[in-house]
Amino acid sequence: MSKLPNATASIFSVMSQLANKHNAINLSQGFPNFPVDERLLQIHERLLNENIHQYTPMAGLPSLLNKIASLTNKNYQREINTDTELLITSGATQGIFTTINALVNYGDDVLILDPSYDSYEPSVLVAGGKPVRISLNDDYSPNFNRIEAAITAKTKLLIINNPHNPTGKIWNEQDFEALETILEKYENILLLSDEVYEYISFKHPHISVNTRPKLINRAIIASSFGKSLHVTGWKVGYLIAPEPLMKEIKKVHQFLVFSVNSTAQHVITKYLDIVNFDEISTMYANKRALFLEGIQSSCFKILPSEGTYFQVVNYSEISNKNDVEFAKELITKYGVAAIPISVFYKDATDKKMLRFCFAKTDETLINAVKILNNI
Ligand SMILES: Cc1ncc(COP(=O)(O)O)c(C=O)c1O
């Protein structure tokens, strides 16, 4: 019997393939189409001839672990023990899968807030757990009454994602306080915080679980160098978790991956000396402004977005087709690819919303805007 009977080709692949077939501008999948930082390429070229091609230690290259510890200290004033609380992973995806499979037992409930990133539920199913999907509010803020009502004796893990894919929502101080008040009552519930877009926030800074003393003892935090350094194909990320949880996570990691791509780890280690993470939000804020100003007078209704490189729009003034059909039409008839938001819900809730990715060259965005304005 299949462990994932309902898994099909992901909507991201489907839309990208359709976009390629119709030569459409691809604002669907979440990856940059602009060049990688020249300095990163130079480090890569320089190091390739050095002795960087064999297994690194299982948890990661020690120099990279130290750099991440410094970064975490600088950004979030959290001291982490690199021996016991940190693990380099093959992207956040593997970090999330490994966390869930190390910590969720057969029959455990895992709370997932909808709409949500598509890798959470399959990871829970492979672990033998039960995904419990809870809708966010209409403005995509967390609904704590629903979250608390869903908690049972079987609840093992709550997954949160901030800044949020697909909606761009970022939790505020009150949201975290509300979460802390609930979790104080349930000491066995763990928290998986997916923070892959931690460096992309526009209105107010992203609040990391790394800065929440009431949460860190039960929290596993996932980060992604793919997202933060615009090298999604390198698939390097990391997890931070307290020692007892990390011990279990490493047990699974060592048999799933053992050690992550050595070349990428060495190059990133050196690049971390020169990269300025503060510039990332500004760069994306400019792209977002270009895109939003461009479609402001179009028939698409722009929803507030506080972070990530995604923008959600409502198209109900243009069409009453469901969002998957409309996204296909947008490719085949008009030549722009987006992701329908219903695919991020368990029950395919269709609110006539599309997600555009603006991590693209200005030229791509300008061309897309021209088309979208004429629809
Ligand atoms: C919310 C979220 N989490 C995790 C990931 C996966 O990150 P990585 O490419 O590092 O595996 C993505 C990628 O799109 C994402 O949007």
Side-chain angles (χ1 to χ4, degrees), residues 12 29-31 89-96 116-120 161-166 194-197 222-227 231-233 235-238 308-310 344 355:
F12 309 103
Q29 222 167 342
F31 62 84
T89 58
S90 290
T93 310
Q94 185 244 314
I96 291 164
S116 62
Y117 182 59
D118 68 342
S119 86
Y120 307 149
N161 169 214
N162 246 312
H164 185 244
N165 177 11
D194 177 345
E195 303 190 12
V196 301
Y197 301 103
S223 290
S224 168
F225 282 124
K227 299 289 182 188
V231 284
T232 57
K235 295 299 296 184
V236 182
Y238 56 93
T308 74
Y309 45 51
F310 301 115
F344 296 90
R355 187 200 78 177

Side-chain angles (χ1 to χ4, degrees), residues 8-256:
T8 50
S10 90
I11 188 77
F12 309 103
S13 319
V14 172
M15 288 298 162
S16 282
Q17 271 172 20
L18 200 62
N20 288 342
K21 190 172 159 203
H22 292 269
N23 212 7
I25 300 173
N26 193 351
L27 304 189
S28 63
Q29 222 167 342
F31 62 84
N33 77 337
F34 46 81
V36 173
D37 186 349
E38 190 61 35
R39 298 171 303 168
L40 183 63
L41 298 181
Q42 283 163 2
I43 297 170
H44 190 261
E45 201 176 324
R46 201 176 69 235
L47 289 187
L48 272 184
N49 291 320
E50 294 188 14
N51 180 17
I52 63 164
H53 300 286
Q54 308 308 328
Y55 293 132
T56 65
M58 188 269 280
L61 192 67
S63 48
L64 181 54
L65 296 174
N66 288 332
K67 295 264 168 76
I68 294 170
S70 307
L71 194 66
T72 309
N73 197 358
K74 177 171 169 263
N75 289 337
Y76 304 127
Q77 295 73 54
R78 177 176 179 188
E79 297 271 354
I80 49 171
N81 182 324
T82 52
D83 291 332
T84 56
E85 297 179 316
L86 186 56
L87 177 68
I88 308 291
T89 58
S90 290
T93 310
Q94 185 244 314
I96 291 164
F97 183 91
T98 307
T99 297
I100 292 171
N101 278 273
L103 303 176
V104 172
N105 289 304
Y106 182 81
D108 286 345
D109 281 359
V110 177
L111 309 185
I112 298 175
L113 309 182
D114 269 3
S116 62
Y117 182 59
D118 68 342
S119 86
Y120 307 149
E121 167 144 340
S123 305
V124 174
L125 292 174
V126 172
K130 187 175 146 227
V132 177
R133 312 277 289 243
I134 303 163
S135 288
L136 294 167
N137 290 319
D138 283 344
D139 68 353
Y140 301 123
S141 60
N143 183 313
F144 290 103
N145 291 334
R146 283 187 215 139
I147 293 175
E148 188 158 16
I151 293 176
T152 69
K154 288 185 174 173
T155 307
K156 183 63 175 278
L157 179 70
L158 164 67
I159 304 179
I160 64 173
N161 169 214
N162 246 312
H164 185 244
N165 177 11
T167 67
K169 190 81 184 170
I170 299 186
W171 285 25
N172 59 28
E173 179 63 28
Q174 289 73 35
D175 294 324
F176 277 103
E177 283 170 11
L179 177 69
E180 286 160 0
T181 304
I182 293 177
L183 289 187
E184 258 168 19
K185 298 185 225 165
Y186 306 96
E187 60 183 24
N188 293 329
I189 298 182
L190 304 176
L191 181 68
L192 171 55
S193 180
D194 177 345
E195 303 190 12
V196 301
Y197 301 103
E198 62 197 303
Y199 294 112
I200 315 178
S201 60
F202 309 119
K203 289 205 173 126
H204 53 85
H206 154 67
I207 299 175
S208 172
V209 169
N210 278 305
T211 64
R212 309 300 300 189
K214 290 187 180 164
L215 297 177
I216 51 179
N217 286 340
R218 60 168 94 208
I220 307 95
I221 301 164
S223 290
S224 168
F225 282 124
K227 299 289 182 188
S228 302
L229 304 178
H230 327 299
V231 284
T232 57
W234 289 23
K235 295 299 296 184
V236 182
Y238 56 93
L239 292 175
I240 297 176
E243 181 171 358
L245 301 179
M246 185 54 90
K247 216 167 145 187
E248 295 305 312
I249 292 169
K250 283 183 180 174
K251 286 183 194 170
V252 175
H253 176 86
Q254 78 172 321
F255 298 114
L256 184 64

